[in-house]
Amino acid sequence: MQITKKNSISNIQQQKTSSNNIKNDELVRLMLQSLFDLGYNDAATALQTESGISLESDIILKFRSSILQGEWQTAESLLPQIPFISPNNLSKVQFLIRQQKFLELLEKGETMQALHVLRTEITPLGQNTDRLHLLTSFVLCSSIEDVMQQASWDGTKGASREQLLTEIQLFVDPTAMIPKQRLLHLINQSLEWQKRSCLYHNPRQDIEFSLFSDHICDKTQFPTTTIKVLRGHTDEIWHAAYSNDGKYLASVSKDKTCIVWDMKSFEVIQTFKSDVSGSYCAWSPDDSRLLVCGTDFGIRLWDPYSGILLHTFQSHQDQVTSCVWLPDNQHFISGACDKILCLWDADLTIPDAQPITRWPVQRTTDMKITDDGKRFVTIGLDKCISVYDVDGLRITEIVKIPEEGTITSLTLTKDGRYALVNVQEVQEVHLWDLEEREMIHKYSGQKQITYIIRSTLGGHNESFVISGSEDNHVYIWSRDHETLLEELEGHENTVNCVSWCPIEPMQFVSASDDHTIRVWGPSQSSIVDL
């Protein structure tokens, strides 16, 4: 029989766990920090005693205490013994401490003493000149409340000293001064990684994760099955759009009709007909009105629930291709092949009403605006993505991004930072970072040679890219991974347009030249024709 002896504490501290490269002493220290954070002080003390490992050194503990107690002289005397990430960090930490000291003196009404600290202790450091000028201006403030507001500082009765420690920790070696709630941060990082790695992650709402098992979404819950076929049009359907509240869907067709569908009952609630085929539609922000563009030079404003034509706006000299509402629910912009953008007042429905403003541009084929109305983006026959800043009722072009070919579709992410476009010649869908002005993802597989094919983003956190295709299929990719997840069959002709429900991550629609709209949902739902 083999005789073994216990490892000493020093040996245990140097060991790594058998399954990975995590150091035992670091793990124990994180456990200690978590136990103290959770209020299990006795358990933490017992763990320190048994392991022989302390959370932090006596110097760090004394430094923390001096900061929290406002003992500034003691805190600064300990700084030479604290391991900073860089030697240059010492003066930066001194600036933070003395700034807190200065603000607390102002709070106590000791203005002359605060001025002395500013002149003899803070200024000689030569740090953060802009902040120094701001601190100087606080001396002239009429009240401490004004100082606190301008400094974004909540005083000694608030959490300012705890915040000071958090800021100081950015400059200290983390092995000496463990960042706040480090173990929870690592666990949350792991959970986020699992969500990003889950190709079908698409919950109806944020879900609770268990730490006892890895997260993976059930593929059968993903919307890959036709749950309804909407029949009502008698010709090709060129565009479809959900209302902003997700309750209704508007579809426009070559048959010159616009149909409004109730997306709960999947029943037709209104059908109205124009003189020409419809190619584009846009709901007002409050969903009370609907704009329809067609193959002529006008834009028709409808009441989508009564089917009443409210007005036809006419000024363009060529086919109107697209339009967007401004967030004020009153104004909208239209684009056409006549190289003009027009700004309209939707409430001005008098005969011969004219645009408020006209802007000369290239031939426009699609446009989008952010929900806050601050960024306006267009695509055109010049094969470029044009980005505009919006100030009230004025737009200013800030950048024009060239693409590889003809762009047929445009979608913006909710934050307005990214633009998704279909590019015809290369038969790809591209995702652009409009801030960095670079393409960050490409999605391929769909077929697009001849027709206008539209794509969009959807699902939980806009995690999926979806596009129609000339091979009669619907294509779905993971936005971050570029992985083709699904190639959905069902349509009998070109799929022109797709639209993802804004309130239901498990539902989207596809509109086709086969005269139908397919509603897609999880596989357990049964197919129904309407």
Side-chain angles (χ1 to χ4, degrees):
M1 143 181 182
Q2 185 177 6
I3 299 176
T4 61
K5 61 180 180 179
K6 285 188 176 181
N7 288 320
S8 67
I9 289 177
S10 60
N11 288 334
I12 293 175
Q13 292 178 11
Q14 298 302 318
Q15 286 180 354
K16 296 179 180 179
T17 60
S18 58
S19 60
N20 52 48
N21 294 322
I22 297 174
K23 296 178 180 178
N24 282 352
D25 64 327
E26 291 188 354
L27 180 59
V28 170
R29 291 178 68 194
L30 292 183
M31 293 168 63
L32 285 169
Q33 184 190 52
S34 297
L35 287 171
F36 280 123
D37 288 344
L38 291 170
Y40 301 136
N41 296 347
D42 291 343
T45 302
L47 178 57
Q48 285 187 118
T49 302
E50 184 172 353
S51 67
I53 298 172
S54 298
L55 174 60
E56 291 175 330
S57 69
D58 291 341
I59 294 296
I60 295 296
L61 293 175
K62 188 175 181 181
F63 178 73
R64 284 185 181 276
S65 176
S66 63
I67 291 292
L68 294 176
Q69 297 300 320
E71 298 170 356
W72 312 123
Q73 187 174 352
T74 301
E76 289 210 38
S77 70
L78 294 170
L79 291 180
Q81 303 176 67
I82 293 177
F84 291 103
I85 297 174
S86 166
N88 297 329
N89 289 341
L90 174 59
S91 57
K92 294 177 181 178
V93 172
Q94 287 175 321
F95 182 91
L96 292 174
I97 293 174
R98 294 172 187 181
Q99 174 184 246
Q100 178 77 16
K101 180 179 178 181
F102 167 78
L103 291 171
E104 290 193 12
L105 287 170
L106 287 181
E107 184 181 27
K108 292 189 291 185
E110 298 178 12
T111 306
M112 295 307 296
Q113 186 63 27
L115 269 173
H116 179 75
V117 169
L118 184 66
R119 291 170 179 167
T120 64
E121 298 184 27
I122 299 179
T123 302
L125 292 173
Q127 294 289 320
N128 202 339
T129 304
D130 290 340
R131 184 66 175 178
L132 179 61
H133 291 160
L134 182 62
L135 294 178
T136 303
S137 69
F138 294 160
V139 178
L140 303 177
C141 288
S142 59
S143 66
I144 185 57
E145 289 75 22
D146 192 18
V147 171
M148 294 169 69
Q149 182 179 5
Q150 292 189 44
S152 300
W153 183 75
D154 62 1
T156 53
K157 294 182 180 179
S160 63
R161 291 177 178 175
E162 288 84 352
Q163 180 60 33
L164 173 60
L165 271 175
T166 300
E167 293 178 21
I168 290 173
Q169 281 185 281
L170 298 176
F171 302 103
V172 179
D173 185 341
T175 61
M177 198 172 184
I178 302 173
K180 187 177 181 180
Q181 296 184 325
R182 179 61 182 167
L183 184 58
L184 286 180
H185 179 72
L186 291 173
I187 291 172
N188 283 324
Q189 278 186 331
S190 172
L191 295 177
E192 288 300 317
W193 180 86
Q194 289 183 43
K195 285 194 289 185
R196 288 195 299 269
S197 300
C198 177
L199 295 178
Y200 288 89
H201 187 69
N202 193 35
R204 282 190 165 90
Q205 57 188 5
D206 288 331
I207 57 176
E208 293 185 0
F209 288 85
S210 171
L211 299 180
F212 303 125
S213 61
D214 291 340
H215 169 75
I216 185 168
C217 285
D218 184 355
K219 181 181 174 181
T220 63
Q221 298 300 308
F222 196 74
T224 58
T225 301
T226 301
I227 59 174
K228 298 286 186 293
V229 179
L230 307 183
R231 304 181 188 274
H233 288 291
T234 58
D235 212 328
E236 300 169 1
I237 303 171
W238 288 343
H239 194 247
Y242 276 95
S243 58
N244 297 291
D245 63 9
K247 295 180 180 179
Y248 305 99
L249 181 79
S251 57
V252 291
S253 167
K254 187 178 178 182
D255 66 10
K256 303 180 182 180
T257 67
C258 176
I259 297 178
V260 178
W261 309 84
D262 184 321
M263 294 308 287
K264 185 175 182 179
S265 64
F266 299 106
E267 296 178 351
V268 175
I269 64 169
Q270 196 56 250
T271 302
F272 34 92
K273 192 166 186 176
S274 301
D275 298 328
V276 297
S277 301
S279 59
Y280 197 92
C281 57
W283 293 84
S284 62
D286 68 354
D287 293 326
S288 66
R289 293 179 287 184
L290 183 72
L291 290 169
V292 176
C293 306
T295 53
D296 63 356
F297 306 165
I299 310 108
R300 291 165 176 81
L301 180 65
W302 296 88
D303 181 324
Y305 310 108
S306 68
I308 296 174
L309 178 62
L310 302 175
H311 192 69
T312 300
F313 296 91
Q314 293 181 320
S315 175
H316 288 289
Q317 302 302 308
D318 206 333
Q319 180 181 343
V320 181
T321 58
S322 54
C323 56
V324 293
W325 288 86
L326 271 61
D328 64 8
N329 206 61
Q330 178 181 349
H331 298 91
F332 68 90
I333 300 173
S334 61
C337 293
D338 62 358
K339 301 184 179 181
I340 296 291
L341 293 176
C342 291
L343 172 67
W344 303 86
D345 185 341
D347 294 340
L348 190 62
T349 56
I350 60 174
D352 300 322
Q354 292 299 301
I356 299 172
T357 308
R358 294 179 177 87
W359 298 286
V361 292
Q362 294 297 316
R363 290 183 175 89
T364 304
T365 54
D366 203 352
M367 59 177 64
K368 293 293 185 292
I369 194 168
T370 54
D371 290 342
D372 61 10
K374 294 181 179 180
R375 170 168 286 173
F376 173 60
V377 184
T378 67
I379 58 172
L381 296 182
D382 60 350
K383 301 180 181 180
C384 289
I385 303 169
S386 298
V387 183
Y388 299 83
D389 277 342
V390 184
D391 181 11
L393 299 181
R394 295 185 298 178
I395 64 172
T396 304
E397 184 177 273
I398 57 173
V399 65
K400 189 179 285 287
I401 303 172
E403 251 292 2
E404 298 178 23
T406 303
I407 312 171
T408 64
S409 172
L410 171 67
T411 298
L412 295 182
T413 53
K414 291 177 181 177
D415 61 7
R417 174 160 184 170
Y418 303 97
L420 185 74
V421 295
N422 280 54
V423 185
Q424 194 169 62
E425 284 82 351
V426 295
Q427 299 190 76
E428 292 176 341
V429 182
H430 295 167
L431 186 66
W432 285 85
D433 184 330
L434 299 180
E435 297 291 338
E436 299 297 329
R437 302 173 189 180
E438 64 178 357
M439 187 193 308
I440 57 173
H441 290 300
K442 286 185 178 182
Y443 313 94
S444 60
Q446 90 288 1
K447 306 300 183 290
Q448 180 176 3
I449 301 173
T450 307
Y451 303 116
I452 294 176
I453 302 296
R454 301 186 187 276
S455 61
T456 193
L457 293 153
H460 183 71
N461 290 335
E462 300 178 296
S463 299
F464 304 98
V465 172
I466 182 172
S467 178
S469 178
E470 292 179 13
D471 63 2
N472 312 344
H473 296 166
V474 176
Y475 288 77
I476 307 177
W477 298 267
S478 164
R479 171 177 161 181
D480 291 337
H481 298 276
E482 302 181 7
T483 306
L484 178 61
L485 302 178
E486 301 291 341
E487 183 180 347
L488 304 178
E489 300 180 356
H491 284 292
E492 298 176 358
N493 210 327
T494 296
V495 180
N496 299 308
C497 182
V498 287
S499 183
W500 208 302
C501 181
I503 62 168
E504 172 52 82
M506 295 297 182
Q507 184 187 107
F508 64 87
V509 299
S510 54
S512 170
D513 281 352
D514 66 8
H515 311 175
T516 70
I517 297 170
R518 286 182 172 261
V519 184
W520 302 85
S523 60
Q524 66 266 29
S525 304
S526 58
I527 185 170
V528 176
D529 275 15
L530 288 179

